[in-house]
Amino acid sequence: MSAENLKADFNKILKSSIIPMLKEMGFKRKGQNFIRPVNDITQCVNVQKRSRSHFDSMDFTFNIGFYNKQIRDIAYGKDSMNDFPKVTDCFIEFRLKTYPRERGSWYDLNNRIDKEKLAAQVEGGLEHYLKPLFEKHQSLEDLTQLVKEKDTLQISPECEIVFFMITNQIEMGIRLLREKHKEALAPQTLSVTTINIREQTETKTETEYINTYYIESMERLAKTYGISLEKEGL
């Protein structure tokens, strides 16, 4: 199957199965990115596709995110002007899992599968996994439990600290801030391996460095919230 045929099949599924459902839910679209503002957050969806094996097949998945301007601005110390945030702008992001097993985030598209069955499978995944997810999480308060399950999602320490502070989980925010600041002060080891193929030798060098940007981020947040980084108690 050619790359053009794969692209055409993907676009057909996008237009017939994905866009209508998200539009019905109230999402606005730009390309393969979708947003729905609700209460104090914006729910975001990105449809990511990739070609494999010299264009013999393609697969695609759904990236999910939750955006809040206040969290992003405080976490990174700058004013963000974004009327249409993408998943990569979100303070929480993860991949929608539509199968119970670990493999289950990507949909395969190739010349051996029934395209109509695949489209139905995608619709079922959106109906049973994406819809309930967004119905359950419609505010910062709703996201509290999700943040506790951070092993299954991506959230930066800066954003997690700010999330705790503005959702009135002050003790957790202070504790995390002090913990991350302490970690940032510890020297990190950078290992570089050089391989000389001709002589079949391998050389490893290690250097220590301090992530000053990370330290400054933690200290800036401490100043924002009036938190002492020296004290252990609250």
Side-chain angles (χ1 to χ4, degrees):
M1 179 177 288
S2 71
E4 288 303 315
N5 288 339
L6 284 172
K7 184 178 179 180
D9 286 335
F10 169 78
N11 287 336
K12 185 176 180 180
I13 293 174
L14 180 69
K15 292 176 181 179
S16 65
S17 301
I18 300 172
I19 293 175
M21 182 170 290
L22 290 173
K23 185 176 180 181
E24 182 182 341
M25 293 172 64
F27 279 82
K28 298 177 182 178
R29 175 196 175 206
K30 280 189 179 180
Q32 291 168 206
N33 298 293
F34 304 81
I35 65 167
R36 181 173 73 166
V38 54
N39 298 315
D40 52 2
I41 61 175
T42 298
Q43 301 169 334
C44 302
V45 181
N46 163 257
V47 187
Q48 178 187 351
K49 66 177 192 249
R50 64 183 182 186
S51 299
R52 298 185 302 160
S53 303
H54 304 291
F55 303 116
D56 289 331
S57 65
M58 173 188 289
D59 51 13
F60 58 94
T61 190
F62 295 88
N63 298 313
I64 307 299
F66 294 95
Y67 177 83
N68 174 275
K69 185 180 185 302
Q70 182 183 8
I71 290 179
R72 186 172 180 85
D73 290 354
I74 297 175
Y76 299 115
K78 55 185 178 182
D79 187 28
S80 57
M81 302 297 292
N82 197 339
D83 295 330
F84 200 102
K86 297 180 180 179
V87 170
T88 50
D89 299 315
C90 294
F91 71 96
I92 295 176
E93 58 179 294
F94 55 95
R95 189 158 286 152
L96 182 68
K97 195 165 185 174
T98 52
Y99 298 95
R101 290 178 293 182
E102 188 60 33
R103 73 171 188 87
S105 297
W106 292 86
Y107 292 93
D108 294 320
L109 179 59
N110 55 64
N111 62 355
R112 299 179 297 278
I113 65 170
D114 186 316
K115 308 304 184 299
E116 292 185 1
K117 287 184 178 179
L118 177 60
Q121 187 180 28
V122 171
E123 290 178 18
L126 296 179
E127 182 70 36
H128 292 100
Y129 295 94
L130 185 139
K131 266 190 175 182
L133 174 74
F134 284 137
E135 288 172 1
K136 183 178 180 181
H137 302 100
Q138 298 198 3
S139 68
L140 288 176
E141 184 178 355
D142 293 343
L143 292 168
T144 299
Q145 184 58 41
L146 188 64
V147 170
K148 292 179 181 178
E149 302 167 0
K150 62 182 180 181
D151 288 343
T152 63
L153 51 86
Q154 295 180 49
I155 178 170
S156 72
E158 293 94 333
C159 287
E160 188 175 5
I161 290 164
V162 178
F163 174 81
F164 285 144
M165 300 305 287
I166 69 175
T167 55
N168 205 32
Q169 301 176 78
I170 307 301
E171 291 188 8
M172 293 180 67
I174 294 174
R175 189 178 301 115
L176 182 61
L177 176 57
R178 289 178 174 156
E179 174 189 318
K180 293 302 178 182
H181 181 253
K182 185 177 180 180
E183 289 178 5
L185 292 174
Q188 304 296 311
T189 301
L190 177 65
S191 299
V192 178
T193 301
T194 304
I195 300 175
N196 188 324
I197 299 176
R198 182 176 298 177
E199 298 177 7
Q200 296 185 337
T201 59
E202 184 177 294
T203 304
K204 290 185 178 180
T205 58
E206 294 185 350
T207 58
E208 287 192 346
Y209 72 99
I210 297 289
N211 191 334
T212 56
Y213 174 80
Y214 195 20
I215 294 173
E216 290 170 359
S217 293
M218 295 301 109
E219 293 177 347
R220 176 176 49 76
L221 288 177
K223 184 177 180 181
T224 297
Y225 290 107
I227 298 170
S228 170
L229 294 172
E230 302 300 324
K231 298 178 181 180
E232 293 298 325
L234 298 177

